[in-house]
Amino acid sequence: KQEVTQIPAALSVPEGENLVLNCSFTDSAIYNLQWFRQDPGKGLTSLLLIQSSQREQTSGRLNASLDKSSGRSTLYIAASQPGDSATYLCAVNSYGQNFVFGPGTRLSVLP
Amino acid sequence: NAGVMQNPRHLVRRRGQEARLRCSPMKGHSHVYWYRQLPEEGLKFMVYLQKENIIDESGMPKERFSAEFPKEGPSILRIQQVVRGDSAAYFCAISELSPRGAPNTGELFFGEGSRLTVL
């Protein structure tokens, strides 16, 4: 059964810093991995989707990498801004299972 | 999130009442997922439905919870005889087709959620 963990659980950084969020999963037989952002009281916004055959995806200041063999993905946020403050979730879509979510990383970017 | 409409956004029920949550995916999407997010916890899969068919209900509690996605109309998540522990945000999601064309291997898009409070 797929298990997904995320570290750190919470992160507070000053504006302008580059930062890395980590996601680990136990079963490498996956279709894809997706990163989301969730603002308080809101739904989930899709940030990046990486297919199992891909190594990374980029969108603006965001870059997500995937190392299937080691069961890891990282989300890199460049030049962080206060508007980036949110909870970031990774979700893994595995063979025979549906999307399994990690517990999230709560990011606070201080002005 | 414009592709998935959920209502009501907020619902308050007293213990023992019924809660009905609705999810309307945009036209052309015939598969929906329901997830539950308890306070201070992560998202947990509940059920995966195709129109008129339940594909995977492995995450549904055995009692009081049911889901359907009829040929016409929205998907409904129904909770009977609600208890305080049912207070949570309930999210509906759709999945785009993957490059391989499989309906549950593409990108996941969520609605804004329905927040149930049980008094």
Side-chain angles (χ1 to χ4, degrees), chain A residues 32 34 38 46 93 98-99, chain B residues 35 37 56 104-105 107-108:
Chain A
N32 56 50
Q34 195 168 350
Q38 185 177 27
S46 178
N93 192 2
N98 292 290
F99 289 88
Chain B
Y35 281 80
Q37 188 174 39
D56 182 352
N104 63 337
T105 59
E107 190 170 0
L108 206 58

Side-chain angles (χ1 to χ4, degrees), chain B:
Chain B
N1 298 340
V4 186
M5 302 300 293
Q6 289 189 249
N7 65 82
R9 294 289 310 278
H10 299 275
L11 182 64
V12 179
R13 285 288 179 264
R14 296 192 180 280
R15 281 181 298 170
Q17 291 184 319
E18 179 179 287
R20 283 185 179 233
L21 310 176
R22 289 178 291 278
C23 169
S24 298
M26 63 182 169
K27 196 174 181 181
H29 284 271
S30 60
H31 295 72
V32 299
Y33 301 80
W34 284 94
Y35 281 80
R36 176 165 66 173
Q37 188 174 39
L38 292 164
E40 303 304 319
E41 292 189 22
L43 265 78
K44 303 295 183 190
F45 167 77
M46 298 183 76
V47 63
Y48 172 39
L49 301 136
Q50 182 183 23
K51 277 198 182 280
E52 300 184 281
N53 191 25
I54 297 174
I55 299 175
D56 182 352
E57 57 181 350
S58 58
M60 286 281 271
K62 294 287 184 278
E63 298 177 345
R64 301 187 297 106
F65 284 72
S66 63
E68 62 175 2
F69 192 10
K71 187 176 179 182
E72 301 291 337
S75 175
I76 306 285
L77 179 67
R78 182 183 178 203
I79 311 171
Q80 295 178 287
Q81 299 175 317
V82 296
V83 300
R84 289 218 173 100
D86 297 333
S87 295
Y90 293 84
F91 291 97
C92 176
I94 59 173
S95 176
E96 294 284 348
L97 295 182
S98 75
R100 282 174 287 180
N104 63 337
T105 59
E107 190 170 0
L108 206 58
F109 293 97
F110 280 82
E112 288 291 319
S114 292
R115 280 153 183 83
L116 172 66
T117 300
V118 180
L119 302 177

Side-chain angles (χ1 to χ4, degrees), chain A residues 46-72:
Chain A
S46 178
L47 297 174
L48 289 164
L49 172 75
I50 312 178
Q51 298 292 345
S52 61
S53 57
Q54 297 174 319
R55 302 265 321 170
E56 66 177 340
Q57 282 283 0
T58 298
S59 175
R61 293 182 295 109
L62 305 179
N63 175 276
S65 67
L66 175 64
D67 184 344
K68 228 175 47 164
S69 60
S70 67
R72 290 183 196 167

Side-chain angles (χ1 to χ4, degrees), chain A residues 61-111:
Chain A
R61 293 182 295 109
L62 305 179
N63 175 276
S65 67
L66 175 64
D67 184 344
K68 228 175 47 164
S69 60
S70 67
R72 290 183 196 167
S73 176
T74 60
L75 179 66
Y76 176 82
I77 303 177
S80 58
Q81 302 171 358
D84 294 330
S85 298
T87 296
Y88 290 81
L89 298 155
C90 74
V92 179
N93 192 2
S94 313
Y95 297 149
Q97 302 179 65
N98 292 290
F99 289 88
V100 177
F101 280 78
T105 294
R106 263 198 311 276
L107 173 65
S108 178
V109 181
L110 306 173

